[in-house]
Amino acid sequence: FGKAIPEMLEGCHVVFNNSRVLDARLSVVVSNNQKVELMLLDLGNIDSSAPCQEQEIQAMIRCGVSAGDKYIEPVSGVTVEVMNVFGIWEEEEDSGGNGTNCTVKIHSNECIGDFLNSNGSVPIPPYLHREADPNDKLRYNNVYAKDGGSVAAPTAGLHFTDEVLESIGESNMNQLTLHVGAGTFMPVLSKDARDHRMHAETFCVNVRE
């Protein structure tokens, strides 16, 4: 790839997505002290520098929940409160099965970026069939990633190393930021693809571009 790509891209201008994946996978303790997954679904429109408790964040909890339910995030001991429930979050069994699509408030004075860095884990895709490890903070991010806000990596960029980028040349590339949401993992379950509800994602293009 590293040898072929400069020739393949000759005469092209390449645009890279510099969004960085945050540690958006948490867990909460429910009845009988059982831990269940809490996955933050969309961080693109969240102010990562503001305190958690000032924001409602779209999330998936891997069990049935109701508005007003409160759970404990086990690493920090912080309370997570369910604010609104929108219905079922559908996933295939290989991904862990269905959950509840909701918004939550994390009752912490920490900003969301710091809270996730201390208590969350990298939301590696379910098809890897393993738990995340500390090395995934680098491996599951592109080498040029900088603006945190994605909950899944723009994986096409993982092929590009610093050496490959150097061979392309700065004059032949630009960057934008598109924060990838967890809806990228949502399967198309409708018989008619036109009935599949697409998720929205937040993006930003530098005015100089």
Side-chain angles (χ1 to χ4, degrees):
F1 179 83
K3 294 180 179 179
I5 198 65
E7 183 176 344
M8 292 170 58
L9 296 179
E10 185 175 354
C12 298
H13 192 84
V14 189
V15 180
F16 293 97
N17 181 6
N18 64 17
S19 182
R20 181 170 55 83
V21 180
L22 296 177
D23 295 351
R25 180 167 282 131
L26 300 163
S27 62
V28 291
V29 178
V30 296
S31 58
N32 301 321
N33 290 322
Q34 181 183 2
K35 291 182 184 179
V36 299
E37 179 186 4
L38 186 157
M39 174 74 177
L40 301 184
L41 299 178
D42 185 2
L43 292 167
N45 60 354
I46 296 297
D47 183 355
S48 61
S49 64
C52 295
Q53 60 187 7
E54 295 181 2
Q55 308 185 75
E56 289 187 25
I57 307 172
Q58 187 181 5
M60 182 280 299
I61 300 179
R62 194 82 67 182
C63 67
V65 301
S66 301
D69 287 352
K70 294 182 179 180
Y71 304 103
I72 299 297
E73 193 287 309
V75 180
S76 64
V78 163
T79 298
V80 178
E81 181 177 2
V82 179
M83 307 303 292
N84 298 283
V85 172
F86 304 117
I88 296 174
W89 177 266
E90 293 183 295
E91 286 191 10
E92 297 172 329
E93 287 301 321
D94 287 347
S95 301
N98 294 341
T100 303
N101 184 6
C102 58
T103 58
V104 300
K105 181 174 289 187
I106 301 170
H107 290 279
S108 169
N109 286 319
E110 278 192 288
C111 68
I112 186 65
D114 289 345
F115 183 85
L116 294 178
N117 189 53
S118 299
N119 306 293
S121 62
V122 180
I124 59 174
Y127 53 75
L128 293 182
H129 300 294
R130 65 173 177 82
E131 297 294 323
D133 64 51
N135 291 326
D136 289 320
K137 287 180 180 286
L138 291 177
R139 290 187 303 205
Y140 194 52
N141 268 302
N142 294 308
V143 295
Y144 47 81
K146 58 182 181 181
D147 294 323
S150 282
V151 299
T155 49
L158 296 176
H159 301 291
F160 291 86
T161 63
D162 289 325
E163 292 75 17
V164 172
L165 295 177
E166 184 177 354
S167 69
I168 296 172
E170 289 188 10
S171 63
N172 295 319
M173 67 178 78
N174 286 101
Q175 297 184 0
L176 56 73
T177 304
L178 188 150
H179 295 310
V180 182
T184 191
F185 295 135
M186 184 177 287
V188 179
L189 300 175
S190 305
K191 291 184 178 180
D192 188 331
R194 292 172 295 184
D195 296 328
H196 177 70
R197 185 174 180 180
M198 294 294 293
H199 68 291
E201 294 177 330
T202 302
F203 69 92
C204 176
V205 179
N206 193 305
V207 292
R208 294 176 299 173
E209 306 299 338

